[in-house]
């Protein structure tokens, strides 16, 4: 589709876009990758520490500690979002703070805060999953497909 | 009256009697903080939603302009204004309070000069004695409208711009003393196929260049006629691109001082990326800082070119490119205007 669009453009448009490209400040991709790697890793390390905390101080096993850990990380993300800190971390970290679970939490909570002024039902309820909705939809859908394939293979494939 | 193809020359030379500007916390920390009439330290301005705060910005700017002009609210005959929110509700609700006959405008960030051009036209055609015009934007309300929730952690690219929180209003009159509105050039919608809503400067630059060149041709003048030609919110990137375009078209823009409101308003080091933007941007800089400079005699003639990107979140999602526009209005100090 993108190629199609290019073809439909006049020569003046193409010429200008080439000129514009030269002046455009590029995203510092390498620098962003390094920052994302460090901050993303840091968030995961905190998550790991929280998981060990639940295993050592409460009666959780490595399998069952996942849920309280996720809950704790989302709670921290919620506080940081509410205090207006998370978006600043994100400007620095980019994908590093967007990809982990905390990023998902931030997407839900920021939308909920933003639409509080439109009331609880139409505002918070209607808009909370504005950003995260597609993640849930396609996440559940791809999980379903993968699980179906696995079931087919193990049940009838004889593995 | 009509000069060339799309320039109006106002022979009655409407007077800008007074102007009011209001800013938010980020603008208070910027370069032009001394030029604001009212500065708020909080984005909420004591309201329970950003949209209500947005409405208050415009209301205060209008009230300030009326007060500085020594008028009563009832004497304002028409009010022209607009903003960036759905169906321009902040401006409409503010005008409910002011109570004057009202024309709502939408020209995205070019609304300030669209309003000034039309207000001058009304005065010049003896349609009124006093007309109020202005534009406003509120960072959080506009981000909510066009982008993501304010607290959402999305990384912005260096080409993006910071929507200013502010409102500027000017009170025009058929008589009195003050800077004169001498001409206006109406822009065409220019779309060179850019689709990135995080690069408005790049999309709007050709519109600004088109309008400035049309203005110079229509009035048959050189850029040196003006002490200053200032664009609305191209930001650093758009400003540099426009310089390239002027060079390509052999327009001697170097004969005058050529600046951008979006670059002027903030300090180096404020996290505004390419610069300020928003309907309030050109309004607060032109009606605050630049009119003050004109009053001090530092500028005698200036051309304000407000640039606007006429996109909506819907057109962006439907993969439309960004249509842009620019309107230019010349303001000249009393006694300096050409006959």
């Amino acid at each position: 589709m993108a190629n199609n669009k290019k073809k439909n453009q006049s020569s003046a448009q193409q010429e200008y876009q080439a000129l514009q490209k030269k002046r455009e400040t590029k995203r510092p991709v390498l620098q962003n990758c390094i920052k994302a790697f460090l901050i993303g890793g840091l968030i995961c390390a905190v998550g790991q520490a929280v998981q060990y905390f639940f295993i050592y101080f409460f009666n959780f096993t490595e399998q069952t500690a996942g849920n309280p850990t996720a809950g704790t990380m989302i709670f921290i993300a919620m506080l940081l979002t509410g205090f207006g800190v998370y978006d600043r971390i994100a400007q620095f970290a980019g994908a590093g703070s967007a990809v982990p679970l905390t990023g998902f939490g931030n997407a839900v909570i920021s939308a909920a805060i933003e639409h509080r002024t439109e009331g609880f039902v139409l505002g918070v309820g209607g808009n909370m999953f504005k950003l995260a909705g597609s993640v849930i939809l396609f996440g559940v859908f791809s999980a379903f497909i993968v699980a179906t394939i696995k079931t087919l293979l193990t049940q009838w494939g004889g593995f | 009256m009509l000069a060339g193809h799309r320039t109006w020359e106002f022979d009655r030379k409407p007077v800008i009697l007074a102007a009011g500007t209001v800013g938010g916390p980020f603008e208070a920390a910027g370069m032009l903080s001394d030029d604001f009439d009212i500065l708020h330290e909080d984005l909420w301005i004591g309201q329970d939603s950003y949209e209500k705060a947005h409405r208050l910005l415009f209301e205060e700017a209008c009230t300030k302009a009326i007060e500085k002009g020594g008028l009563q609210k009832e004497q304002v005959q028409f009010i022209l204004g607009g903003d960036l929110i759905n169906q321009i509700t902040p401006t409409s609700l503010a005008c409910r309070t002011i109570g004057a006959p009202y024309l709502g405008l939408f020209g995205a960030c070019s609304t300030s000069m669209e309003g000034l051009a039309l207000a001058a036209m009304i005065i010049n055609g003896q349609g009124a004695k006093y007309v109020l015009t202005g534009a406003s934007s509120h960072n959080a309300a506009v981000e909510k409208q066009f982008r993501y929730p304010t607290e959402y952690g999305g990384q912005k690219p260096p080409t993006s711009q910071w929507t200013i929180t502010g409102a500027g209003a000017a009170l025009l009159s058929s008589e009195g003393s003050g800077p004169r509105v001498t001409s206006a050039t109406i822009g065409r919608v220019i779309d060179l196929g850019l689709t990135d809503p995080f690069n408005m400067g790049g999309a709007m630059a050709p519109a600004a260049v088109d309008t400035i060149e049309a203005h110079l041709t229509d009035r048959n003048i050189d850029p040196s006629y003006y002490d200053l030609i200032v664009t609305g919110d191209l930001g650093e990137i758009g400003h540099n691109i426009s310089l390239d375009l002027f060079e390509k078209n052999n327009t001697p823009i170097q004969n005058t001082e050529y600046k951008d409101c979006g670059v002027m308003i903030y300090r180096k080091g404020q996290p505004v990326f390419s610069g300020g933007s928003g309907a309030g941007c050109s309004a607060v800089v032109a009606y605050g800082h630049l009119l003050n400079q004109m009053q001090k005699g530092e500028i005698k003639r200036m051309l304000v070119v407000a640039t606007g990107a006429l996109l909506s979140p819907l057109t962006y999602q439907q993969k439309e490119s960004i249509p842009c526009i620019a309107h230019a209005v010349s303001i000249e100090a009393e006694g300096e205007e050409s006959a």
Side-chain angles (χ1 to χ4, degrees), chain B residues 56-139:
Chain B
L56 204 63
L57 286 174
F58 189 66
E59 232 176 274
E60 286 180 342
C62 289
T63 317
K64 200 75 200 174
I66 296 169
E67 181 195 311
K68 280 164 80 180
L71 294 190
Q72 294 298 315
K73 215 164 64 172
E74 293 69 32
Q75 288 174 274
V76 176
Q77 287 163 303
F78 295 100
I79 177 161
L80 284 77
D83 57 72
L84 292 164
I85 306 302
N86 277 350
Q87 288 82 37
I88 59 168
T89 46
T91 308
S92 301
L93 291 168
C95 292
R96 180 179 66 184
T97 315
I98 296 160
Y102 157 66
L103 288 166
L105 306 174
F106 183 82
C109 311
S110 69
T111 307
S112 58
M113 289 307 123
E114 183 181 351
L116 187 60
L118 291 172
M121 192 68 175
I122 293 174
I123 301 255
N124 201 56
Q126 291 175 294
K129 196 168 173 210
Y130 298 111
V131 179
L132 192 62
T133 178
S136 58
S137 57
H138 185 290
N139 180 282

Side-chain angles (χ1 to χ4, degrees), chain A residues 130-153:
Chain A
K130 192 166 76 166
L131 297 167
S134 53
V135 180
I136 297 175
L137 172 67
F138 295 112
V140 170
F141 181 68
S142 35
F144 171 74
I145 295 290
V146 171
T148 308
I149 293 170
K150 192 196 165 194
T151 310
L152 287 177
L153 288 177

Side-chain angles (χ1 to χ4, degrees), chain B residues 7-321:
Chain B
T7 300
W8 296 326
E9 281 181 343
F10 303 118
D11 28 70
R12 289 176 197 275
K13 299 192 174 69
V15 180
I16 301 181
L17 262 193
T21 51
V22 185
F26 224 67
E27 292 64 40
M31 285 295 277
L32 309 178
S33 54
D34 294 341
D35 291 304
F36 284 91
D37 293 309
I38 303 168
L39 282 167
H40 291 284
E41 55 176 342
D42 181 33
L43 272 185
W44 293 93
I45 320 184
Q47 304 296 305
D48 53 17
S49 77
Y50 289 135
E51 286 73 15
K52 283 184 187 162
H54 190 339
R55 176 204 306 179
L56 204 63
L57 286 174
F58 189 66
E59 232 176 274
E60 286 180 342
C62 289
T63 317
K64 200 75 200 174
I66 296 169
E67 181 195 311
K68 280 164 80 180
L71 294 190
Q72 294 298 315
K73 215 164 64 172
E74 293 69 32
Q75 288 174 274
V76 176
Q77 287 163 303
F78 295 100
I79 177 161
L80 284 77
D83 57 72
L84 292 164
I85 306 302
N86 277 350
Q87 288 82 37
I88 59 168
T89 46
T91 308
S92 301
L93 291 168
C95 292
R96 180 179 66 184
T97 315
I98 296 160
Y102 157 66
L103 288 166
L105 306 174
F106 183 82
C109 311
S110 69
T111 307
S112 58
M113 289 307 123
E114 183 181 351
L116 187 60
L118 291 172
M121 192 68 175
I122 293 174
I123 301 255
N124 201 56
Q126 291 175 294
K129 196 168 173 210
Y130 298 111
V131 179
L132 192 62
T133 178
S136 58
S137 57
H138 185 290
N139 180 282
V142 172
E143 289 286 312
K144 179 176 177 176
Q145 175 79 56
F146 281 91
R147 298 185 184 98
Y148 300 119
T150 28
E151 296 304 333
Y152 174 65
Q155 193 176 36
K156 287 183 180 166
T159 47
S160 63
Q161 288 175 261
W162 179 273
T163 306
I164 79 142
T165 302
L171 181 62
L172 259 75
S173 168
S174 51
E175 52 197 47
S177 72
R180 308 271 179 159
V181 179
T182 51
S183 69
T185 301
I186 304 302
R188 296 186 296 152
V189 176
I190 304 265
D191 186 341
L192 288 180
L194 264 70
T195 50
D196 182 4
F198 284 110
N199 183 12
M200 295 296 193
M204 294 189 296
V209 171
D210 181 75
T211 301
I212 293 171
E213 289 176 348
H215 179 84
L216 297 174
T217 315
D218 282 354
R219 291 195 81 188
N220 197 17
I221 49 175
D222 185 80
S224 58
Y225 177 82
Y226 294 108
D227 300 320
L228 174 72
I229 295 182
V230 65
T231 49
D233 52 357
L234 294 182
E236 259 168 64
I237 293 167
H239 183 74
N240 289 335
I241 296 170
S242 67
L243 284 174
D244 288 349
L245 291 174
F246 281 127
E247 199 187 318
K248 203 176 114 201
N249 301 347
N250 290 323
T251 304
I253 197 77
Q254 67 278 4
N255 292 354
T256 182
E257 198 171 358
Y258 178 58
K259 286 187 176 178
D260 181 67
C261 296
V263 178
M264 291 158 76
I265 188 165
Y266 294 117
R267 248 173 241 289
K268 285 257 172 286
Q270 280 186 297
V272 297
F273 312 99
S274 183
S277 73
C281 185
S282 50
V284 295
V285 175
Y287 296 152
H289 179 67
L290 295 177
L291 284 186
N292 286 350
Q293 276 199 313
M294 192 168 266
Q295 210 158 33
K296 286 182 211 150
E298 288 164 25
I299 307 175
K300 301 217 158 42
R301 295 164 175 168
M302 65 174 172
L303 182 68
V304 185
V305 189
T307 43
L310 304 170
L311 83 170
S312 84
L314 192 74
T315 59
Y316 161 67
Q317 284 166 3
Q318 293 177 347
K319 311 265 186 271
E320 291 277 355
S321 52

